[in-house]
Amino acid sequence: MVKVDLSGATGFFTASGPDYALAEKAHKTLAEKSGLGADFTGWMELPLRIKEGELDAIVKAAEKIRSRSKALVVIGIGGSYLGARGAIELLKPLPGKDDPKVFFAGNGLSPDYLSDILEQLGDQDFDVNVISKSGTTLEPAVSFRIFRELLEKKYGDQADEHIFATTDAHRGVLKSLADAKGWPCFVVPDDVGGRFSVLSAVGLLPMAVAGIDVVRVINAAVEELKALDLRSPENPAWQYAAARQHLYNNGKLIEILACYEPSFRFMAEWWKQLYGESEGKDGIGIYPASVEFTADLHSMGQFIQAGPRILMESVVRFTQARNRFPVPFEEANSDGLNYIAGLDLAEVNRIAADAVKDAHISGGVPNIVIEVPQRNEEGFAALVCFFEVACAISGYMSGVNPFDQPGVEAYKKNMFRMLGKPGAV
């Protein structure tokens, strides 16, 4: 289970401290499905539903893709790709010799990015997993049109056998097209918003194709959600949600999520969507940002240490590294590093994290540490469940609906009007 260490933040708390009574009320609202957006809280039961439902079919589809293709192109945007990409980069940053390469398309409109994917694909055998609730979102719809054409040129009458759709169970353009063409279909649940959907087929199929053990992920998620139902200030989700809301109310307007593993970068991108889209509304909300340590200490470190004192910092730390790397001894000691010779690099990394924490606290930046035992399937599942539960509780504590995103539509209206879409105003 994820653990939260608030020792680096307590010095910034006012006498009242984090409001655990409000956290308890928010958790009750979430659990009883009595608050705003309750129709979109199906993610709380999602791992168990998947385990008893689609999981076997997802694993079989992944095995089929892995047996015949060198690549999978995942087409989706926002919650339809960030969780899967975060998981794959965290757990499988380099494909094994039997693992297909997973490409992510449909998350932008750059012709250069798309061309780069096509160049890397070359003439390899590949499959497509198109992920969209409706099938009409512009960015993935354009990419899907392009990759369908490529499949038709490559496979002819067999092109449809290489398409897997993850979409609405009953309606929408993509669902209708999938039914007409006979594409295997997986479900984007009606009661789960995109940013909470990573533990559905949305995330699990690409993860399984990449070689991640999604059965382990789901089993761990079922247990983690049970543990996170604890109604006590000992609940790490309460601790995180209440601490960040308390700091926000005392002028810490920006939360930086940091990690000392470069493979965490897209997990941070997933986290930014989760919290930004859930909390940033009605003129309030903590602004979510991210950094990669130690690299960004040599770029963003100055601002964090001595810029405007509106920052709080949450640091994900994996307790146990996957690998051992002792620092070698050099007889000449030309670089002066023999004082750490023999130390494992993971220990050097840990000491660096402790040093950064102390420095940032002294510079006026409260630190929350989120501890995860290992960078594996169980650790990933624990992080996802922890962040999702804490996000919902934090949103309810702030008084917003954590499950809608009305502001997302504003740019789309302008874009469709400027592109001349029929009926757009």
Side-chain angles (χ1 to χ4, degrees), residues 165-213:
T166 306
T167 188
D168 191 276
H170 306 291
R171 57 190 173 274
V173 170
L174 182 55
K175 173 61 177 172
S176 297
L177 194 55
D179 288 345
K181 296 289 187 178
W183 303 332
C185 267
F186 297 97
V187 176
V188 180
D190 285 338
D191 56 356
V192 179
R195 60 189 178 274
F196 287 87
S197 68
V198 63
L199 297 179
S200 73
V202 169
L204 295 175
L205 180 57
M207 289 161 59
V209 171
I212 294 169
D213 188 338

Side-chain angles (χ1 to χ4, degrees), residues 94 127 142 175 178 238 241 278 293 305 354 361 370 419:
L94 294 174
D127 287 274
V142 169
K175 173 61 177 172
W238 285 28
S278 296
F293 286 163
Q305 187 69 39
D354 289 342
I361 291 169
I370 300 163
L419 286 170

Side-chain angles (χ1 to χ4, degrees), residues 6-86:
L6 296 180
S7 62
T10 52
F12 299 86
F13 294 161
T14 60
S16 61
D19 191 344
Y20 288 117
L22 187 57
E24 180 178 21
K25 181 181 178 182
H27 196 166
K28 185 173 185 288
T29 298
L30 175 65
E32 294 180 352
K33 300 181 183 290
S34 59
L36 295 170
D39 289 346
F40 287 92
T41 54
W43 54 271
M44 296 167 62
E45 301 85 36
L46 184 57
L48 190 58
R49 281 161 41 185
I50 286 288
K51 183 176 181 178
E52 296 172 349
E54 282 190 314
L55 187 56
D56 285 346
I58 290 168
V59 171
K60 288 176 182 176
E63 289 172 349
K64 183 175 184 179
I65 294 168
R66 287 172 60 84
S67 71
R68 70 183 184 189
S69 290
K70 295 294 185 182
L72 173 69
V73 179
V74 178
I75 298 175
I77 195 168
S80 293
Y81 95 102
L82 281 172
R85 187 163 186 178

Side-chain angles (χ1 to χ4, degrees), residues 17-330:
D19 191 344
Y20 288 117
L22 187 57
E24 180 178 21
K25 181 181 178 182
H27 196 166
K28 185 173 185 288
T29 298
L30 175 65
E32 294 180 352
K33 300 181 183 290
S34 59
L36 295 170
D39 289 346
F40 287 92
T41 54
W43 54 271
M44 296 167 62
E45 301 85 36
L46 184 57
L48 190 58
R49 281 161 41 185
I50 286 288
K51 183 176 181 178
E52 296 172 349
E54 282 190 314
L55 187 56
D56 285 346
I58 290 168
V59 171
K60 288 176 182 176
E63 289 172 349
K64 183 175 184 179
I65 294 168
R66 287 172 60 84
S67 71
R68 70 183 184 189
S69 290
K70 295 294 185 182
L72 173 69
V73 179
V74 178
I75 298 175
I77 195 168
S80 293
Y81 95 102
L82 281 172
R85 187 163 186 178
I88 292 168
E89 296 208 2
L90 182 71
L91 302 180
K92 299 281 287 189
L94 294 174
K97 63 182 180 66
D98 297 323
D99 296 328
K101 173 70 175 175
V102 180
F103 296 97
F104 291 91
N107 49 69
L109 295 168
S110 165
D112 293 345
Y113 176 78
L114 196 59
S115 296
D116 289 342
I117 292 176
L118 294 175
E119 185 175 344
Q120 291 180 72
L121 269 179
D123 62 355
Q124 296 180 104
D125 285 313
F126 73 98
D127 287 274
V128 167
N129 178 206
V130 56
I131 306 170
S132 176
K133 187 78 169 172
S134 65
T136 59
T137 303
L138 181 66
E139 294 92 337
V142 169
S143 283
F144 186 42
R145 176 177 285 201
I146 291 167
F147 280 98
R148 277 185 69 196
E149 181 181 63
L150 188 62
L151 285 171
E152 288 165 0
K153 289 179 179 177
K154 186 175 182 64
Y155 295 111
D157 292 342
Q158 282 75 49
D160 287 328
E161 297 176 14
H162 290 265
I163 299 174
F164 297 78
T166 306
T167 188
D168 191 276
H170 306 291
R171 57 190 173 274
V173 170
L174 182 55
K175 173 61 177 172
S176 297
L177 194 55
D179 288 345
K181 296 289 187 178
W183 303 332
C185 267
F186 297 97
V187 176
V188 180
D190 285 338
D191 56 356
V192 179
R195 60 189 178 274
F196 287 87
S197 68
V198 63
L199 297 179
S200 73
V202 169
L204 295 175
L205 180 57
M207 289 161 59
V209 171
I212 294 169
D213 188 338
V214 296
V215 174
R216 280 176 61 188
V217 169
I218 289 300
N219 285 337
V222 170
E223 296 306 313
E224 191 70 17
L225 285 172
K226 288 179 184 176
L228 288 168
D229 195 41
L230 175 67
R231 309 301 171 88
S232 162
E234 298 302 310
N235 187 330
W238 285 28
Q239 293 168 354
Y240 179 54
R244 61 196 298 278
Q245 285 297 328
H246 181 74
L247 293 167
Y248 172 70
N249 290 330
N250 286 282
K252 303 301 183 182
L253 308 179
I254 298 172
E255 180 179 10
I256 299 173
L257 186 71
C259 186
Y260 288 78
E261 290 293 340
S263 61
F264 191 78
R265 185 167 76 91
F266 264 89
M267 282 297 294
E269 294 299 316
W270 169 80
W271 172 86
K272 285 194 287 190
Q273 185 200 5
L274 181 67
Y275 279 79
E277 211 168 63
S278 296
E279 293 190 317
K281 54 198 71 167
D282 300 339
I284 62 171
I286 301 166
Y287 184 84
S290 63
V291 288
E292 178 191 312
F293 286 163
T294 61
D296 283 343
L297 293 169
H298 299 263
S299 57
M300 293 297 294
Q302 172 64 37
F303 188 96
I304 297 169
Q305 187 69 39
R309 299 300 76 191
I310 56 174
L311 305 177
M312 66 178 95
E313 189 172 69
S314 296
V315 183
V316 173
R317 294 174 67 167
F318 294 95
T319 306
Q320 184 177 335
R322 282 182 170 183
N323 301 290
R324 294 187 58 80
F325 243 110
V327 178
F329 176 85
E330 183 187 84

